[in-house]
Amino acid sequence: MIEARRLHILRAVADHRTVTAAAAALYLTPSAVSQQLTALEQETGHRLVERGAKGVRLTPAGEILLSHTNAVLAQLERAEAELAAYGAGSAGTVTLASFATGIGLVVAPALARLARTAPGIRVRVQDAEGDASLPMVLDRQVDVAVAVEYRGAPDADDPRLTHVPLYAEPFDAVVPFTHRLADAGEVPLGELARDAWIGPYAGNPCHDVVVLACEHAGFQPRLEHSSDDFRAVVALASAGAGVALVPRSALRGMDLTGVVVRPVDGVAPTRRVFAAVRRGAEEHPLIRPVLDALAEAATED
C-alpha cells in the first residue's frame, strides 16, 4: 500500500531537485525525506530516484509514479473540499501569498469584500515575489498564490495547479525628465538601446518581462542598477541613473518628481497576474470564496 504522504515527498523532490531543498520546503530533515523515499521504493518495488553531483532526478519508474501522484493528490484535495462542504466549512483560515502590488490591487479589496460576504473566513497574507508563491502552494506552505506569469512557471494546464486569471497590465517607460525622449507621446523601446537601465534582479518575473521586451526591440538592456522595489527604481531614474520599465499599477501613488512616464510605442510589454491553488482545492468551501473575491476585485479595478 502506497502512503499518500510519501507521494507528496516524491513530488517535492521532483520539484526542488535536491533532497535538502525538498526537506526545507516540507519542514523535514533531509534524513527523514531520504527515509520516506526509501520506504516508497520498498512499497513500489522500484528504484524511484537517482542521486548525482547535481542533485536528484527521477528514474523512469519515478516519472510514472509522479504522473499518478499529481492525479492522486488532486483527488485528495477534492475529497477534503467535499468533506469540508459537508461539514458546512463556513469558518476557518486561508493562507495566501502575493507580491506587493498584487496585495494592494486585488488582495486587500478581496479581504474587504470577504469581511462583508464571508466573515467566518480569515485570510492570512504573506508578501512573496511572483515566482516564489507558486512553490509555496505546491509545498503546502500556503493555500492560495497570487502570481505572475514568467519563464519557467508552471503552465495553466499543469496537473498540480488550478489557475484563475485575474488581470493583465502594461509596463510603462520611466525616463528622467531631462531625457531626450521626455517629450515623446510614446517611447519606442529601440530608442533606449544606448541607455543605462534600472530593473529588478534576475529571477523576479518582472525582470523577464523587461529583458524579453528589449530583446523583441532588438537589443539587450544594459542593466546597471538593480532593485526589486519599484520606488527605488523610480528614485534612481529621477536621479538620472538610467531608464526603466515599470508595471503601471506600481506607479500609482508614487512620487514621480524628476521622471516622465510614457506608454511604450507599439505592443506594450505586459505582466499577467493569476491566482493559483493546488488542483482539486478550488472548490473547497473556504478557498472558493477567496478565489471569487480576488476575481471580483480584479474586475472592479
Side-chain angles (χ1 to χ4, degrees):
M1 180 69 69
I2 298 174
E3 291 193 18
R5 64 191 178 98
R6 290 176 181 152
L7 294 178
H8 182 63
I9 289 173
L10 177 71
R11 188 164 78 178
V13 170
D15 287 343
H16 293 280
R17 303 296 183 184
T18 71
V19 168
T20 300
L26 298 173
Y27 300 103
L28 297 172
T29 64
S31 61
V33 169
S34 294
Q35 289 170 8
Q36 293 299 316
L37 287 175
T38 298
L40 186 58
E41 289 179 329
Q42 292 172 348
E43 289 172 347
T44 61
H46 293 278
R47 187 178 181 184
L48 302 175
V49 298
E50 292 181 347
R51 294 169 174 81
K54 295 184 179 180
V56 175
R57 69 179 183 86
L58 298 188
T59 64
E63 293 287 355
I64 291 172
L65 184 57
L66 180 64
S67 67
H68 291 284
T69 292
N70 293 326
V72 168
L73 294 182
Q75 191 59 42
L76 286 175
E77 293 283 357
R78 294 187 188 99
E80 290 182 10
E82 288 188 19
L83 287 171
Y86 176 77
S90 59
T93 299
V94 175
T95 53
L96 183 152
S98 172
F99 58 101
T101 307
I103 291 174
L105 201 61
V106 293
V107 175
L111 264 60
R113 176 181 295 275
L114 287 167
R116 301 189 303 271
T117 61
I121 298 177
R122 177 190 177 199
V123 181
R124 296 176 56 192
V125 179
Q126 300 181 36
D127 187 340
E129 288 298 335
D131 59 333
S133 57
L134 294 179
M136 293 171 72
V137 168
L138 290 171
D139 293 332
R140 303 183 71 88
Q141 296 174 11
V142 298
D143 301 308
V144 181
V146 174
V148 178
E149 291 182 3
Y150 59 93
R151 284 190 286 191
D155 295 331
D157 59 354
D158 189 291
R160 301 169 298 171
L161 296 168
T162 293
H163 285 219
V164 178
L166 295 179
Y167 65 91
E169 65 172 325
F171 281 58
D172 288 327
V174 178
V175 302
F177 77 97
T178 56
H179 194 273
R180 63 188 181 279
L181 296 177
D183 294 330
E186 295 181 333
V187 173
L189 282 186
E191 297 296 319
L192 301 177
R194 295 183 289 110
D195 289 86
W197 278 74
I198 312 156
Y201 286 100
N204 185 314
C206 290
H207 174 91
D208 287 347
V209 174
V210 171
V211 171
L212 283 172
C214 293
E215 288 176 352
H216 289 158
F219 69 98
Q220 285 282 340
R222 180 164 52 90
L223 285 163
E224 292 197 355
H225 311 282
S226 298
S227 175
D228 288 334
D229 187 334
F230 287 116
R231 290 169 299 181
V233 170
V234 171
L236 287 168
S238 70
V243 300
L245 288 174
V246 177
R248 186 166 293 171
S249 65
L251 295 167
R252 295 180 183 177
M254 193 181 294
D255 181 5
L256 300 176
T257 304
V259 299
V260 172
V261 178
R262 294 287 184 265
V264 173
D265 183 31
V267 179
T270 302
R271 71 170 172 182
R272 292 173 175 79
V273 180
F274 60 94
V277 299
R278 292 180 295 278
R279 188 172 291 269
E282 60 272 11
E283 295 305 328
H284 191 286
L286 297 179
I287 293 176
R288 183 75 259 170
V290 174
L291 293 176
D292 290 343
L294 290 168
E296 290 167 3
T299 300
E300 292 177 357
D301 179 63

